[in-house]
Amino acid sequence: MAIDTLRAERRALILGGAGALALPWIARAQTSYRSEYKMSVVGNRPIPFAEGAFKWAELVTERSGGRINVRVYPGSQLVGGDQTRELLAMRQGVIDMAVFSTINIAPQVREVGLFQLPFLMPDHKALDALIRGEVGRDIFGVMERREVVPVAWGENGFREISNSKRAIRTPEDLRGLKIRFAAGAIFSDIYTGLGANPVQMSFADLQPALSTGAVDGQENPINLFLAFRMDTLAQKHLTIWNYVNDPLIFALSRQVMNSFSPADQALVRDCAVEAGRWQIELTRRGLGVEGGDDSSIRELRQRGVEVMVLTAAEKQAFARVTRPVYDRWAATVGAELTRKAEAAVRAAAA
């Protein structure tokens, strides 16, 4: 009996020691993820663009129990404020996750320039047909070949035009106006074709340029116009023409995605989809989409902004003038992808 007891004690001691030796390994396995994952986004709260990034980060951090701790770096601060460098920085390992503007990454991913073809998408139904269908899947496939894993779509919004000089209802109204654009040679071509003087400028430089009259106008989504009170920067005329939209892509580097367990990969994707859908809803709020709430339009008018909502016929006048730009850039985007997009837009309107 004593021998059996001694053997049992030795066995327990050996097993206990093995368990003790195993504990550090278990701890290492549980903490092999980084202490922080860096997410980049243009702008900051409260604009919907940035809100989508914060929402994604919060959902991932919360639902992983802090195992995947995501911190948002707004204002593209990880790339010195130059949002056009975010994609390259992700491929270099500087950025782990991001909510990309398709405008900002178009110089590196020519296919996303599809969304900047002037007057391709007349409304939100058309945009949804693109990002929710085959076109959206094709573009995600292109992104994946660049060591980036796209996981969800968002939306920055249709870009409307404002200025300090006069109402814009026809192409002739743009002649001679100095219009700021953020990035992308196609925007320079569009405004040059319309007889305006396009000026490329960062958003940080835009506000002082508007206040001093260095530029006459700008193009941005309405939610951004309201958030930055551009009506106080002499922007008293705003035209809703829906000439291009800026869909957003929620993405992370392939290296980071591959470092997660399959369950955590699914968690990151699910959180991105949820954040993206919420962000799209936030972007469209108050715009009277499909006859809904138009509080943002009413607020603009209450602030003394003259708001022109162009008819389909008036938009067509701009589309005709910019058609050479459309055709030239469609060749860059890709003829097959453009044909798919045009077919999807026609089907959405039927």
Side-chain angles (χ1 to χ4, degrees):
M1 186 73 175
I3 293 174
D4 290 340
T5 301
L6 182 59
R7 287 174 176 169
E9 287 174 351
R10 284 178 177 173
R11 188 162 54 248
L13 185 61
I14 291 169
L15 290 174
L21 290 171
L23 284 175
W25 182 88
I26 293 170
R28 284 197 302 273
Q30 290 174 339
T31 60
S32 61
Y33 287 1
R34 300 179 194 171
S35 60
E36 176 186 288
Y37 292 89
K38 295 178 172 63
M39 181 184 293
S40 182
V41 68
V42 178
N44 204 345
R45 284 171 158 167
I47 64 171
F49 190 153
E51 290 286 4
F54 279 97
K55 183 76 167 179
W56 185 23
E58 289 162 3
L59 288 174
V60 171
T61 302
E62 176 186 344
R63 292 180 184 174
S64 69
R67 189 174 57 259
I68 305 174
N69 178 41
V70 183
R71 179 183 174 187
V72 179
Y73 289 80
S76 301
Q77 59 185 277
L78 294 173
V79 287
D82 183 358
Q83 60 261 40
T84 63
R85 292 177 51 226
E86 285 180 321
L87 179 61
L88 176 61
M90 177 175 284
R91 296 176 69 182
Q92 292 173 334
V94 176
I95 291 171
D96 301 314
M97 306 167 76
V99 178
F100 292 125
S101 157
T102 48
I103 289 174
N104 291 333
I105 66 173
Q108 294 89 42
V109 186
R110 62 182 177 83
E111 289 84 356
V112 302
L114 174 80
F115 301 106
Q116 290 113 57
L117 296 179
F119 301 98
L120 166 65
M121 303 161 287
D123 51 31
H124 289 94
K125 283 177 61 179
L127 173 65
D128 288 344
L130 298 184
I131 64 175
R132 305 295 180 204
E134 185 178 359
V135 168
R137 292 190 293 272
D138 286 352
I139 289 174
F140 272 19
V142 170
M143 295 286 292
E144 288 170 355
R145 292 196 290 273
R146 286 165 170 79
E147 296 303 309
V148 170
V149 183
V151 286
W153 287 97
E155 183 194 353
N156 192 23
F158 277 104
R159 301 180 76 85
E160 318 299 5
I161 188 166
S162 70
N163 80 101
S164 60
K165 301 295 185 183
R166 54 183 174 266
I168 297 174
R169 296 203 79 106
T170 69
E172 290 73 23
D173 294 329
L174 267 162
R175 293 193 181 281
L177 292 181
K178 291 176 288 187
I179 303 295
R180 176 266 182 182
F181 69 97
I186 188 171
F187 290 97
S188 180
D189 288 354
I190 289 169
Y191 286 102
T192 299
L194 289 167
N197 296 323
V199 181
Q200 185 173 357
M201 184 181 295
S202 71
F203 190 78
D205 293 331
L206 173 60
Q207 290 170 285
L210 290 175
S211 63
T212 62
V215 295
D216 301 313
Q218 60 84 49
E219 50 82 58
N220 261 305
I222 287 175
N223 67 74
L224 195 146
F225 185 105
L226 287 168
F228 289 93
R229 298 201 61 91
M230 291 186 183
D231 53 294
T232 66
L233 302 174
Q235 299 300 287
K236 296 300 183 183
H237 309 280
L238 186 142
T239 295
I240 297 177
W241 62 342
N242 289 10
Y243 85 120
V244 300
N245 199 306
D246 183 20
L248 307 176
I249 296 177
F250 289 62
L252 63 163
S253 79
R254 179 167 299 284
Q255 182 180 15
V256 169
M257 186 62 141
N258 288 346
S259 73
F260 295 149
S261 69
D264 282 339
Q265 289 180 5
L267 182 149
V268 169
R269 286 181 184 276
D270 291 346
C271 290
V273 170
E274 182 176 335
R277 291 190 182 279
W278 175 84
Q279 191 270 335
I280 289 173
E281 180 184 339
L282 192 62
T283 294
R284 299 179 184 181
R285 191 174 298 168
L287 299 180
V289 177
E290 297 181 357
D293 168 36
D294 66 348
S295 57
S296 292
I297 308 300
R298 287 186 280 110
E299 182 178 351
L300 285 168
R301 290 178 170 142
Q302 289 167 2
R303 292 186 185 184
V305 178
E306 181 185 15
V307 181
M308 280 71 62
V309 181
L310 298 192
T311 65
E314 288 172 325
K315 291 178 187 178
Q316 275 303 309
F318 287 93
R320 284 192 295 272
V321 174
T322 56
R323 186 68 199 194
V325 177
Y326 183 109
D327 291 338
R328 185 162 61 253
W329 281 89
T332 299
V333 167
E336 180 60 26
L337 184 64
T338 301
R339 281 194 293 270
K340 283 185 183 180
E342 291 169 344
V345 168
R346 287 194 298 271

